[in-house]
Amino acid sequence: MPPRTVRLLAQSARRRPVLDCVLAAAVIVSSTASGTVHGKGRAHGTEGAVSSSVSSSSPPAPAPASSQQAAQEASLRPVAAPAVDHDALLAAALEGVEVENGAGLAVAVRDMESGESAAYGKALFETASIVKVDILATLLLQAQDADRRLTAQEEAYAAAMIENSDNASASALWKTIGSAAGLDAANERFGLTGTEGGDGLLWGLTRTTAADQLVLLQQVFGHASELSDASRAYLRELMGRIAVGQDWGVSAAGSGFALKNGWLPRTATGLWVINSIGRVTVDGHDHLVAVLSNGNTTKAKGVALVEAAAKAAVSVFAEEAAGSVETVAAPVRQPR
């Protein structure tokens, strides 16, 4: 081979690796522009094919100033406060109430301004004379349905039954409303779900829960009610004129009270049922309160229990506003 040809072939061999590198770089740039590289090449210093897949993405653009400002504003928005367990607060407040061994207690309270309520104890209790509010509410509802006013005799019975807790008047109106069947039918409309009228003429042995009595009070003192404005005003007026000596109970928890109490010694045991339901005003706020108890050894001890429990009940919302509930060491007996 001529010397010139040999030189040309040698130069060509030296240039080929450079040309191969240039072509490979061009392929890589072209493939990268489309977002993914898929290629086969010979690894330096190794034998065999190498397969690769590389994803390409551009760095995120900085958020516009308006988006950054919105994010900052969102982070500064107030976070909703956690839900308050008012039942737990009531249980804590009742820890300082002394309950006799063997006695039972149930309490329910509603803050009329906020609409929040709390309950302690789900057992059934005999109503004694607090059922007289239910009897009159039933009579008023039946009169509304018949589009009539109460008769003069019914009004006389109603006043004596509520203001003076007259039992003969209660028995007369119990018959007028249809006894337990009439009471139960009205209570179904009022929203009471755990109350059962007493057998025969034993209206005082109607059984109820504190939660149901709170519902009944809402029918009397609230706005969303089966009772008309006139009927509610009439009941509230009578409950605000309780005779002296019968105005204990939930009235101890505040002022401006309207209430009805019930007291009954059980013949079989000699133990007392002591109940109180009504509305009281505390620091300008109206509260509905129902306190039921049984197994009290004396009427006086039952009254003291009911009054202490009523005070503890209304303190739930006052203490909540202050941020805490003070508890006392003496435990309240668990509801039955």
Side-chain angles (χ1 to χ4, degrees), residues 39-52:
K40 288 187 178 180
R42 190 170 300 278
H44 295 288
T46 63
E47 296 293 333
V50 176
S51 175
S52 65

Side-chain angles (χ1 to χ4, degrees), residues 68-79:
Q68 294 177 351
Q69 182 178 2
Q72 291 175 349
E73 291 176 353
S75 66
L76 294 175
R77 293 193 187 107
V79 178

Side-chain angles (χ1 to χ4, degrees), residues 86-99 105-110 118-120 249-254 280 282 287-291 304-320 324-328 330 332:
H86 291 98
D87 291 352
L89 291 177
L90 177 57
L94 289 170
E95 288 183 2
V97 176
E98 183 178 355
V99 183
L105 176 68
V107 184
V109 58
R110 179 188 297 273
Y120 174 89
V250 299
S251 57
V280 295
V282 182
H287 295 73
L288 303 180
V289 186
V291 183
L305 170 62
V306 165
E307 292 186 341
K311 292 176 182 178
V314 299
S315 76
V316 166
F317 298 98
E319 294 288 353
E320 179 189 346
S324 64
V325 174
E326 182 179 357
T327 60
V328 184
V332 65

Side-chain angles (χ1 to χ4, degrees), residues 5-333:
T5 302
V6 173
R7 287 197 303 271
L8 289 175
L9 288 174
Q11 291 174 356
S12 175
R14 287 195 300 269
R15 292 192 185 112
R16 183 170 296 278
V18 176
L19 179 59
D20 288 344
C21 291
V22 171
L23 291 174
V27 171
I28 292 172
V29 171
S30 174
S31 298
T32 304
S34 65
T36 306
V37 175
H38 293 285
K40 288 187 178 180
R42 190 170 300 278
H44 295 288
T46 63
E47 296 293 333
V50 176
S51 175
S52 65
S53 177
V54 180
S55 295
S56 172
S57 60
S58 302
S66 58
S67 298
Q68 294 177 351
Q69 182 178 2
Q72 291 175 349
E73 291 176 353
S75 66
L76 294 175
R77 293 193 187 107
V79 178
V84 177
D85 188 344
H86 291 98
D87 291 352
L89 291 177
L90 177 57
L94 289 170
E95 288 183 2
V97 176
E98 183 178 355
V99 183
E100 289 187 275
N101 187 34
L105 176 68
V107 184
V109 58
R110 179 188 297 273
D111 184 326
M112 294 291 283
E113 181 174 333
S114 68
E116 299 288 346
S117 61
Y120 174 89
K122 299 180 180 179
L124 288 167
F125 290 74
E126 292 82 10
T127 57
S129 286
I130 62 170
V131 74
K132 293 170 181 176
V133 173
D134 205 356
I135 293 173
L136 182 51
T138 298
L139 177 65
L140 291 167
L141 184 63
Q142 291 177 348
Q144 288 176 202
D145 291 344
D147 195 23
R148 71 172 182 87
R149 295 176 57 88
L150 299 187
T151 67
Q153 182 62 71
E154 288 171 339
E155 289 184 345
Y157 284 146
M161 177 178 70
I162 300 297
E163 295 177 22
N164 300 295
S165 203
D166 184 70
N167 290 337
S169 296
S171 294
L173 293 183
W174 178 252
K175 295 176 183 177
T176 299
I177 66 171
S179 303
L183 188 82
D184 293 345
N187 283 341
E188 184 174 356
R189 293 170 61 181
F190 290 147
L192 280 67
T193 59
T195 300
E196 300 177 357
D199 293 335
L201 294 178
L202 301 177
W203 44 262
L205 295 185
T206 295
R207 291 164 66 80
T208 191
T209 64
D212 261 13
Q213 289 305 299
L214 198 64
V215 172
L216 179 62
L217 290 171
Q218 184 67 27
Q219 288 287 317
V220 177
F221 294 96
H223 297 293
S225 174
E226 291 291 322
L227 298 174
S228 67
D229 291 346
S231 293
R232 296 199 309 275
Y234 179 61
L235 242 171
R236 292 195 297 263
E237 180 183 2
L238 295 183
M239 292 176 70
R241 297 206 304 247
I242 299 298
V244 175
Q246 296 185 14
D247 54 357
W248 45 267
V250 299
S251 57
S255 60
F257 63 86
L259 59 79
K260 183 70 189 81
N261 296 323
W263 56 100
L264 174 69
R266 297 307 308 272
T267 304
T269 63
L271 300 176
W272 285 79
V273 172
I274 303 292
N275 302 325
S276 184
I277 62 172
R279 184 212 63 210
V280 295
T281 303
V282 182
D283 296 330
H285 297 276
D286 287 340
H287 295 73
L288 303 180
V289 186
V291 183
L292 310 180
S293 74
N294 58 22
N296 300 285
T297 56
T298 67
K299 179 182 177 182
K301 288 183 178 180
V303 170
L305 170 62
V306 165
E307 292 186 341
K311 292 176 182 178
V314 299
S315 76
V316 166
F317 298 98
E319 294 288 353
E320 179 189 346
S324 64
V325 174
E326 182 179 357
T327 60
V328 184
V332 65
R333 183 172 302 281

